Amino acid sequence: GWEAWRVPLAGGTPSRITTLAGFTRTSFGQDGRVYFLHQETPGDARLLSLPFPGAHALGLRLEVRSVALDGSDTRVHVSLSALAWPGSEPVLSPDGRWVAYQAGEFPYVAPIPAGPGALPGDSARIPRVEANPNVALTGRLRAFDRGGAYLTWRDAGTLQFASGDRYLTFDAATGRRTITPIALRIARPMVRGAIALRNAKVVTMEGDQVIERGDVVVRNARIVCVGVAGRCDTTGVQRVIDLTGKTIIPGLVDMHAHHTNLGSGVVVPRHRTAALDLAYGVTTILDPSTSSTSAFPLAEMTEVGIVQGPRTFSTAEPVIYPGTSFGDYQILRTQADADHEVDRRVDWGAVSIKNYRQAGRWQQQMLLRAARRRGVTVTSEGGPLYFDVGQVLDGQTGWEHLIANLPVYSDATRFFGAAGATYSPTSIVAGHVAGSKEWFRPRQGLADDAKYQRFAPPDIRRIAARPAPDDPKSTFSFPIIAEGLADIMRAGGHGALGEHGEQPGIGTHWEMWAYAEALRPLEVLRAATIDGARFIGLEREIGSIARGKIADLVILDADPLADIRNSARIAWVMKEGRLL
């Protein structure tokens, strides 16, 4: 568990103050007391952040308490209804008259009676606040319709917080709001100069074009020539590399990479999971359900070269129907509600929106209208066949996770293909009995893989070493899932990879190898590159090897068209023209 300790500034022995509900901040009040969050059963409270929390979890309450500096004289200042926590951390105003908290990443302020606080268990005297944004509460105000994070009190009645690139203050008594844009600029490191990669097999992913012996010339992070060997002008090129016997493919695009949500909220420069992805040729990822306060800083720190890793995009938090899972979200009752949800995410940096199983189709349609207005794609948590059909009929661009009805018959595959939908089965976790990771992991030998051991952080190394069932392939459904994906792609639809945060780096290749049960290697590479780029609207910038595009390349020691397993035989990775 977590505890609060006091450490004398002048030195001396630290002493324990109290137990905390989890990884959370503590603060000093004006009265010199230590304020903190208390949850009677923090283990059960974590169920609020999982799918379909039960009545017990939904009935839990989160309290703001204080103690004297020696841990004595516990007082309860306010009790809030079930919050998805950590993340929504209630904070008292210095005079104890207001409590601010987040619900669905929107900031709220509610009045409470000022006073010294009540004794634990004295429920009649403890102020109770309904935190659910879908329940009416007299006096409660939403501080900003574009969301807010890092809530603190500037003074007794003024809340301050950030919202994307804006700093805001909110007067709790009057509702007056000030907004200050933050014009922060940091230099982006750019590759300068030119490099020529010669005599390689080039799988361009421009249609079915494969150049058996070709050259790729990169200048200032972009591709300036792709062609048959000897036909590209190399005037002014500083470095020429002979790649005879090697194969060049575009950088891999993983559209379901759940490793941008950092529980501590701190992005460290050596983010080993990001480096692991890049080492295995993944140059672009999208996390379709994550924390805004970690994913967007991680993306920006990667862009400016502080973190080494793939280009990072996200949907931010999913737009979810309350009660389904994952926290305190607002029911979409009006188009304005949907607009607020999309605007908040896009303003903060989202390039796509995650529609997580809205209860009504009309709610989904409002969400899609809001996304079209902001020019972003919409993905979803897929599932039953007719649920997926309804989403595509309404104009959604695609979805993750398998179509639950197996096998998928031709009426459905032809419909999704004609609609140009993108299907990302995420077979690494999806399937009847088990996902494909349970087939590949015991056969990969990761515990003896020097490259994987070098890059993987300890927790991922432990997962790699975990014993897995050595069941025959016939007990897995990923070959049948692959058949459905193949039929949709051959009918005009698209595929995409989804490693899901299960085994970063090599897991993206497991996704490719799973789909190769039904797809030809060139089709697998299409799903792994240009189709993934299309899923987030970036197919004009990345996903294929073509003049003018960003130079994201993977140089392989062997030909993946001969054996898709060669996708992991990586010699070099190039991201934005920088050869690693």
Side-chain angles (χ1 to χ4, degrees):
W2 297 91
E3 297 177 331
W5 284 65
R6 55 186 281 194
V7 182
L9 284 177
T13 304
S15 59
R16 178 184 174 280
I17 300 175
T18 188
T19 299
L20 303 175
F23 185 85
T24 179
R25 56 185 160 182
T26 56
S27 61
F28 286 103
Q30 292 177 324
D31 51 8
R33 294 169 63 84
V34 177
Y35 286 73
F36 61 98
L37 298 183
H38 175 78
Q39 175 68 256
E40 288 292 346
T41 53
D44 292 342
R46 292 189 182 95
L47 298 175
L48 292 168
S49 296
L50 297 175
F52 308 107
H56 172 66
L58 292 170
L60 296 173
R61 301 190 69 85
L62 185 64
E63 296 178 343
V64 179
R65 293 187 172 192
S66 71
V67 292
L69 196 55
D70 61 2
S72 65
D73 189 26
T74 302
R75 296 282 171 167
V76 183
H77 299 273
V78 64
S79 170
L80 295 102
S81 58
L83 283 166
W85 183 88
S88 300
E89 296 195 10
V91 285
L92 284 185
S93 63
D95 61 4
R97 295 178 54 228
W98 305 92
V99 62
Y101 63 92
Q102 290 170 290
E105 303 304 312
F106 289 94
Y108 292 86
V109 176
I112 56 175
L119 294 174
D122 189 0
S123 57
R125 295 178 179 273
I126 298 173
R128 296 169 68 90
V129 169
E130 176 56 68
N132 186 340
N134 300 296
V135 176
L137 180 65
T138 302
R140 180 180 64 191
L141 297 172
R142 187 152 82 174
F144 193 42
D145 283 336
R146 298 291 177 97
Y150 314 115
L151 277 58
T152 58
W153 289 91
R154 183 169 171 173
D155 54 42
T158 307
L159 182 70
Q160 60 182 357
F161 56 95
S163 178
D165 61 354
R166 290 165 290 205
Y167 165 78
L168 292 96
T169 65
F170 181 79
D171 189 303
T174 67
R176 182 176 178 272
R177 181 187 304 113
T178 67
I179 304 175
T180 305
I182 303 170
L184 175 64
R185 293 181 180 274
I186 299 177
R188 177 200 297 257
M190 298 294 291
V191 174
R192 299 297 180 189
I195 185 171
L197 308 174
R198 305 196 65 179
N199 300 317
K201 184 170 187 174
V202 184
V203 184
T204 67
M205 300 319 304
E206 289 285 299
D208 292 336
Q209 182 192 43
V210 177
I211 304 172
E212 291 297 330
R213 184 167 167 268
D215 296 344
V216 178
V217 179
V218 175
R219 189 182 304 276
N220 296 345
R222 288 195 180 260
I223 299 166
V224 295
C225 184
V226 183
V228 174
R231 295 188 182 177
C232 285
D233 183 7
T234 57
T235 303
V237 168
Q238 288 92 353
R239 186 179 180 190
V240 178
I241 302 179
D242 186 349
L243 297 180
T244 299
K246 299 189 186 298
T247 300
I248 304 176
I249 63 173
L252 303 178
V253 180
D254 195 311
M255 296 305 303
H256 202 152
H258 283 317
H259 46 72
T260 68
N261 190 353
L262 310 174
S264 68
V266 177
V267 182
V268 297
R270 287 178 59 84
H271 185 46
R272 295 182 63 173
T273 306
L276 181 62
D277 253 352
L278 192 58
Y280 278 85
V282 181
T283 54
T284 301
I285 64 169
L286 181 135
D287 192 330
S289 180
T290 184
S291 166
S292 294
T293 53
S294 59
F296 295 134
L298 173 62
E300 293 181 348
M301 290 171 70
T302 303
E303 286 299 299
V304 300
I306 298 172
V307 172
Q308 286 293 320
R311 191 176 297 102
T312 300
F313 298 104
S314 79
T315 65
E317 294 76 12
V319 183
I320 194 166
Y321 187 79
T324 305
S325 63
F326 306 121
D328 321 291
Y329 292 94
Q330 181 163 345
I331 296 173
L332 303 185
R333 295 189 174 96
T334 67
Q335 186 62 52
D337 291 338
D339 290 344
H340 291 154
E341 296 288 349
V342 171
D343 286 340
R344 195 274 292 178
R345 290 162 174 80
V346 176
D347 283 0
W348 289 24
V351 299
S352 184
I353 300 297
K354 177 67 172 277
N355 167 20
Y356 200 106
R357 297 181 181 172
Q358 295 301 311
R361 191 169 165 193
W362 60 277
Q363 293 167 313
Q364 173 176 283
Q365 291 166 348
M366 291 191 302
L367 189 62
L368 287 163
R369 279 195 292 271
R372 280 194 290 271
R373 179 177 57 84
R374 292 302 303 265
V376 294
T377 61
V378 180
T379 181
S380 79
E381 191 81 358
L385 174 61
Y386 293 125
F387 183 76
D388 298 332
V389 167
Q391 292 175 331
V392 173
L393 283 171
D394 289 339
Q396 189 159 288
T397 45
W399 72 95
E400 300 111 23
H401 292 298
L402 84 162
I403 299 171
N405 310 66
L406 290 180
V408 185
Y409 289 96
S410 63
D411 55 347
T413 60
R414 285 186 283 113
F415 166 75
F416 292 129
T422 301
Y423 178 28
S424 179
T426 322
S427 77
I428 195 167
V429 290
H432 298 279
V433 181
S436 62
K437 67 181 179 182
E438 302 300 338
W439 164 261
F440 290 108
R441 185 179 285 146
R443 294 164 174 81
Q444 191 67 44
L446 293 177
D448 301 318
D449 187 321
K451 174 178 175 177
Y452 204 86
Q453 292 297 314
R454 172 190 174 192
F455 282 99
D459 58 333
I460 294 178
R461 290 203 299 273
R462 285 193 293 271
I463 293 172
R466 184 185 301 163
D470 191 15
D471 296 328
K473 191 183 293 184
S474 59
T475 63
F476 292 85
S477 58
F478 67 85
I480 303 173
I481 296 171
E483 290 176 0
L485 174 62
D487 289 344
I488 289 172
M489 291 180 66
R490 290 165 188 169
H494 306 272
L497 304 184
E499 179 272 330
H500 201 260
E502 304 302 315
Q503 205 78 58
I506 191 63
T508 298
H509 294 267
W510 292 349
E511 276 279 279
M512 297 167 66
W513 303 348
Y515 301 138
E517 293 289 322
L519 289 167
R520 296 184 297 273
L522 191 63
E523 293 173 315
V524 172
L525 290 175
R526 181 175 299 120
T529 57
I530 190 65
D531 276 7
R534 178 186 179 276
F535 202 8
I536 46 174
L538 290 174
E539 71 272 24
R540 295 182 183 180
E541 291 286 334
I542 61 174
S544 68
I545 304 174
R547 186 175 184 272
K549 284 197 168 184
I550 295 172
D552 287 354
L553 308 171
V554 184
I555 301 169
L556 303 173
D557 286 325
D559 184 1
L561 300 184
D563 181 351
I564 195 60
R565 301 275 182 125
N566 290 333
S567 67
R569 295 184 59 183
I570 298 170
W572 292 290
V573 177
M574 178 179 282
K575 181 194 170 195
E576 292 183 4
R578 180 174 285 106
L579 194 62
L580 306 170

